[in-house]
Amino acid sequence: MQFLNPNMLWGLLALAIPLLVHLFNFRKTKRVYFSNVTLLKQVDTKVSSARKLKHFLLLLSRMLFITALVIAFAQPVKKALSFSDTPKGINGIYLDNSQSMQNMRDGKRLLDLAIIKIDELLTLLNRSSNLQLTTNDFDGADQWVSGASALKDRLTTVRYSETERELQQVYKRERSIAQKHNPSGGNHFFWFSDFQKSTVGDLSLLNVDGLDRLHLIPVAGKLTQNVFVDTLWLDVPFVREMQNNVMTVRVFNSGNQAVEKLPLKLYLDDIQISTSSVDLEPNAYGTASFNFTVSARGIHKGRISFDDEPITFDNNYYFVLDASPSLRVLHLYGQRSPQNYVSKIFSNDSLFHYRSYSLDNYNPGEILNADLVVLEGITAIEGETKSTLTAYLQQGGHVALIPGNQVSQVSLQNFLADYGLRNLQVDAHVPKVEGQIELNAPERQSPFFADVFEKGGAPRLMSLPKVYPKMNWEGVGEKILNLKSGKSFLTRTRAANGQLYLFAAPLLKEYGNFAEHALFVPTFIRMAYLSGKTERLAYNFSEGFVRLNLPEVPKNAVYKLRNKELEMIPTQSLRGNILTLTLPKSSDLQENQSMGAGIYELEINGKVEKSIALNHSRTESKMDYYSADELKNIFKDHPQIMVYDDVDDSDFIEDFRSAGLDKAYWKYFIVLALFFLLAEILIYRFMP
């Protein structure tokens, strides 16, 4: 037995008052004269004995009345042996505020139902000062213990989070917080969640300390039917203006009922431009394709939209298209082919911003701002050109190196050795036709040649080019085109953070006909396409951050994210030309702010640099939950884990009490005090 208000026990000193009253009778006596007192003495003896008994019973009832009343005000409770008392552990409460908690039940959202029950629990624990709240945001401000009143205030600020957490992560965090306050253990953790199967992780990995007690309270919705967009992609790397483009959308039906002919709408810049439909089997994927045309270059904000009631938070999937982005190709030559093959590929296509300079007269700074650098007719790589190319590859650039008819083996080997290419050999002989070697047909499955050849078969080439190899090398890298001799003609090597393409022969006619063959154009076009720093069509909040390529970043730049409802400065870091934005948690936003799915603008000094599409996590859209029976079966061998049937049970709080929470006895002592008061009245009234 313990007391919530032990200071009230000082009131037991009041027991001295009736004791003193009974020990010292302050009532004045009155003398009466009688002529014969013999009979009176006998009567007085009998009355005095009865009076002493009455006085003793009155004293006892009064003292018991005062004792019961004082104990009632001291609020006696019976502490369960396993309950987290203040000196022992904490009472941690986890509130799942993920997007799936928007599901409805009896006209109320699951998050609201959970908050109501947590409020009732905090009322039960209103005297505790060792309470701690955890949400999916893992907010740093929630690392401290506090009282019930503070947690009730915190509950009013909880909003839906775009972050999903596995239960193992939740326990590790709560356990870590508990150990900071008292490492001895003995904690109680109350988890209010819908226990969504797609987000809680592998429950078999949840290992709870034997001194802790984990209470699982399911807040499950009754709706399991939901359709959402899983992903989308373009059939070609870039969208071209005034041309037919195809977008494919993959949709998932997480319900147990089939969906037929679900209408899908494609919007660009808030204008519906195409429609499609999809049939979906239960718990299955389906795809739909959209044909569309854009009339202008630049950024276009899009979304895939459909109607799927009653769960609607994922009925729109947002994306951003960059139509005909400009790919910057820098052509530097030492010995340019007379036919200027490279220029013919890139100079007449609006997709490419092409510039060409002699290696004897160019600005090295232009290399750093290019997407693809083509080095043609190279004799040596030294000095400022070498250092600039090294920095360019470090920041993720792409370089295509084509040798000239005169090559410095030492200079080129020194440059290539840093990227794992070794044993460079240079043929100093005059090229002869009989020395030319035919190329092998390119591998159709090669990622480099994706979407180049017709689908459904191997590439049909009437003839293959022949070349006289000027160079031969060994080392790491992907062989893109090979000679029938087994040597490499074109390889792609990971060079620092970039890509290095190395050709074995010049583009001069005396070294073969590759530059005039049908393979030449798609090979260089693919190099240019793969060098483009194209942004992703869409991101989702569960990734936690967004990485963007910004070619020209002002010094000490501070970027803002904004849409129609929100403007904020996210945590950001810049490394080279790569800007990393950390997506804010819901707890980082102000009271009237909400960061939901949609299109966000990246601004600096009022100028829009990029548009970013953010969507809800796909795992949040899968409406499949663990039932209470399933959870009980999973944790049947874990006595420290208690699973409750449902958050909406009428005896929910009573279940907590029966599980080992405090039992208050002050009401019983109030009844006892009234009983002793009534006993005093009866003794005084009816006892002679």
Side-chain angles (χ1 to χ4, degrees):
M1 181 80 71
Q2 298 182 21
F3 298 94
L4 297 181
N5 296 321
N7 291 333
M8 294 299 298
L9 295 177
W10 288 103
L12 293 176
L13 295 176
L15 292 174
I17 297 175
L19 184 62
L20 292 174
V21 169
H22 283 266
L23 288 178
F24 302 98
N25 191 351
F26 297 104
R27 187 172 62 180
K28 294 182 179 180
T29 59
K30 183 179 181 181
R31 180 174 294 181
V32 179
Y33 295 94
F34 288 90
S35 59
N36 188 349
V37 297
T38 302
L39 182 60
L40 291 176
K41 288 181 180 180
Q42 185 178 1
V43 173
D44 181 69
T45 301
K46 295 179 180 179
V47 173
S48 176
S49 176
R51 185 181 297 117
K52 288 181 180 180
L53 177 60
K54 180 179 180 179
H55 287 181
F56 176 76
L57 292 176
L58 286 173
L59 173 63
L60 181 62
S61 62
R62 289 169 181 171
M63 295 184 71
L64 289 174
F65 166 73
I66 294 174
T67 301
L69 192 63
V70 170
I71 292 177
F73 279 101
Q75 295 194 37
V77 294
K78 181 181 179 181
K79 289 283 186 179
L81 294 178
S82 63
F83 185 61
S84 302
D85 202 0
T86 302
K88 190 176 181 183
I90 71 168
N91 295 309
I93 298 173
Y94 166 60
L95 174 59
D96 180 3
N97 60 332
S98 62
Q99 292 294 326
S100 63
M101 294 289 281
Q102 293 188 39
N103 201 345
M104 302 292 291
R105 173 172 174 169
D106 299 330
K108 294 182 180 179
R109 296 198 180 275
L110 299 186
L111 182 64
D112 296 331
L113 286 175
I115 290 176
I116 291 172
K117 291 303 177 180
I118 293 176
D119 188 85
E120 293 182 19
L121 178 62
L122 292 175
T123 300
L124 179 68
L125 303 174
N126 65 334
R127 297 292 182 179
S128 300
S129 59
N130 59 345
L131 302 171
Q132 184 267 330
L133 178 68
T134 297
T135 66
N136 284 26
D137 293 317
F138 282 10
D139 191 357
D142 291 332
Q143 296 187 57
W144 314 105
V145 297
S146 59
S149 178
L151 256 65
K152 286 186 177 183
D153 292 340
R154 173 72 177 91
L155 286 175
T156 63
T157 66
V158 173
R159 287 166 289 182
Y160 292 104
S161 173
E162 296 290 350
T163 305
E164 56 199 43
R165 299 291 182 185
E166 294 186 359
L167 295 185
Q168 189 180 12
Q169 294 176 304
V170 175
Y171 178 71
K172 286 183 178 180
R173 178 175 174 83
E174 288 193 319
R175 178 69 176 166
S176 174
I177 294 173
Q179 287 183 319
K180 290 180 182 178
H181 294 279
N182 196 320
S184 61
N187 309 290
H188 275 254
F189 300 121
F190 304 92
W191 290 1
F192 293 80
S193 173
D194 57 4
F195 296 102
Q196 191 176 18
K197 290 183 179 180
S198 58
T199 61
V200 297
D202 187 352
L203 297 184
S204 64
L205 300 178
L206 183 60
N207 296 317
V208 179
D209 189 273
L211 297 177
D212 294 334
R213 293 295 179 267
L214 181 57
H215 305 268
L216 305 183
I217 305 97
V219 193
K222 297 181 180 179
L223 302 173
T224 58
Q225 191 77 20
N226 188 38
V227 175
F228 62 92
V229 173
D230 178 67
T231 187
L232 53 79
W233 63 90
L234 297 168
D235 282 13
V236 294
F238 300 100
V239 173
R240 303 297 298 268
E241 79 275 17
M242 304 307 296
Q243 294 184 17
N244 182 60
N245 300 281
V246 180
M247 174 179 287
T248 303
V249 179
R250 185 167 70 170
V251 185
F252 185 75
N253 175 21
S254 67
N256 52 15
Q257 298 179 4
V259 177
E260 296 182 357
K261 303 298 181 183
L262 177 67
L264 303 176
K265 302 174 184 178
L266 170 61
Y267 289 85
L268 282 182
D269 301 321
D270 292 326
I271 299 174
Q272 182 180 333
I273 63 170
S274 185
T275 60
S276 186
S277 64
V278 62
D279 293 324
L280 298 167
E281 295 297 323
N283 293 303
Y285 290 96
T287 59
S289 296
F290 296 92
N291 291 282
F292 67 97
T293 303
V294 294
S295 59
R297 301 181 64 173
I299 299 298
H300 297 274
K301 304 171 186 177
R303 74 177 190 272
I304 303 295
S305 183
F306 54 90
D307 293 327
D308 178 43
E309 299 288 345
I311 300 173
T312 61
F313 74 88
D314 53 6
N315 282 6
N316 290 291
Y317 189 89
Y318 298 90
F319 61 91
V320 174
L321 292 178
D322 188 0
S324 296
S326 181
L327 295 176
R328 294 158 299 178
V329 177
L330 178 63
H331 179 205
L332 302 177
Y333 55 88
Q335 182 182 13
R336 183 170 56 182
S337 62
Q339 293 78 13
N340 204 359
Y341 296 113
V342 176
S343 176
K344 290 179 180 179
I345 296 175
F346 298 116
S347 61
N348 296 320
D349 193 330
S350 62
L351 183 63
F352 304 106
H353 180 58
Y354 174 75
R355 290 165 297 169
S356 182
Y357 304 98
S358 169
L359 276 170
D360 296 327
N361 184 24
Y362 82 102
N363 178 10
E366 293 201 36
I367 292 179
L368 300 177
N369 291 323
D371 293 310
L372 174 66
V373 176
V374 179
L375 300 174
E376 182 187 0
I378 296 300
T379 301
I381 299 179
E382 297 174 339
E384 190 174 12
T385 297
K386 180 180 179 180
S387 61
T388 306
L389 286 174
T390 301
Y392 174 65
L393 290 169
Q394 184 65 40
Q395 73 179 28
H398 290 226
V399 174
L401 197 157
I402 307 167
N405 59 4
Q406 298 292 328
V407 175
S408 171
Q409 180 176 346
V410 174
S411 173
L412 207 56
Q413 179 63 78
N414 289 338
F415 175 74
L416 298 177
D418 292 337
Y419 308 114
L421 300 173
R422 61 186 184 277
N423 296 335
L424 179 69
Q425 298 176 2
V426 177
D427 189 336
H429 297 90
V430 176
K432 297 180 179 180
V433 175
E434 55 269 25
Q436 294 181 2
I437 305 173
E438 190 176 50
L439 269 65
N440 284 322
E443 292 291 337
R444 178 178 172 273
Q445 295 80 12
S446 170
F448 180 84
F449 288 109
D451 301 319
V452 171
F453 303 110
E454 293 181 1
K455 298 179 180 179
R460 297 180 180 179
L461 298 174
M462 297 299 294
S463 63
L464 290 165
K466 293 182 178 181
V467 298
Y468 185 93
K470 179 70 177 178
M471 301 190 309
N472 180 38
W473 62 91
E474 298 176 357
V476 297
E478 174 192 355
K479 294 183 178 181
I480 297 175
L481 292 173
N482 297 319
L483 300 171
K484 287 191 174 181
S485 63
K487 302 296 184 180
S488 299
F489 174 71
L490 171 61
T491 62
R492 177 171 61 177
T493 301
R494 181 76 174 178
N497 296 316
Q499 299 287 340
L500 176 62
Y501 297 91
L502 185 58
F503 287 83
L507 299 181
L508 302 174
K509 279 191 174 184
E510 54 265 36
Y511 284 89
N513 64 343
F514 174 71
E516 296 179 347
H517 192 271
L519 273 178
F520 178 72
V521 172
T523 299
F524 275 78
I525 291 293
R526 285 295 295 172
M527 285 193 297
Y529 276 3
L530 294 174
S531 71
K533 308 299 188 298
T534 55
E535 308 297 348
R536 286 170 47 182
L537 296 177
Y539 299 83
N540 68 68
F541 285 103
S542 62
E543 297 176 63
F545 59 87
V546 173
R547 286 198 176 101
L548 304 169
N549 179 64
L550 299 174
E552 299 176 0
V553 183
K555 189 176 181 180
N556 300 322
V558 178
Y559 290 90
K560 294 182 180 180
L561 269 184
R562 65 175 300 171
N563 62 5
K564 295 179 180 179
E565 293 82 22
L566 174 70
E567 179 178 330
M568 66 170 305
I569 300 177
T571 303
Q572 52 197 270
S573 62
L574 187 65
R575 185 174 182 179
N577 289 342
I578 304 300
L579 175 68
T580 301
L581 302 175
T582 301
L583 298 178
K585 306 170 185 176
S586 61
S587 56
D588 296 333
L589 304 176
Q590 299 178 7
E591 184 175 352
N592 59 345
Q593 291 182 327
S594 177
M595 192 169 187
I599 306 292
Y600 290 81
E601 308 285 1
L602 183 68
E603 288 188 354
I604 180 171
N605 300 326
K607 179 184 176 183
V608 176
E609 292 286 340
K610 296 281 185 180
S611 293
I612 306 167
L614 294 175
N615 294 285
H616 301 296
S617 172
R618 293 182 291 272
T619 54
E620 286 290 337
S621 297
K622 296 181 179 180
M623 299 298 160
D624 191 12
Y625 314 99
Y626 284 108
S627 66
D629 291 337
E630 288 176 317
L631 291 173
K632 289 178 181 178
N633 184 60
I634 293 172
F635 298 115
K636 61 184 178 181
D637 297 327
H638 297 75
Q640 69 273 41
I641 300 179
M642 180 173 292
V643 180
Y644 295 86
D645 288 332
D646 192 68
V647 72
D648 211 25
D649 287 346
S650 58
D651 58 347
F652 172 71
I653 297 299
E654 293 302 324
D655 285 346
F656 276 132
R657 289 196 179 98
S658 64
L661 300 183
D662 298 350
K663 186 173 182 180
Y665 290 98
W666 64 271
K667 295 180 181 179
Y668 299 103
F669 282 94
I670 289 291
V671 173
L672 282 176
L674 294 175
F675 172 77
F676 292 130
L677 180 61
L678 178 61
E680 178 187 357
I681 295 173
L682 294 176
I683 292 171
Y684 190 83
R685 176 70 178 80
F686 296 106
M687 191 170 181

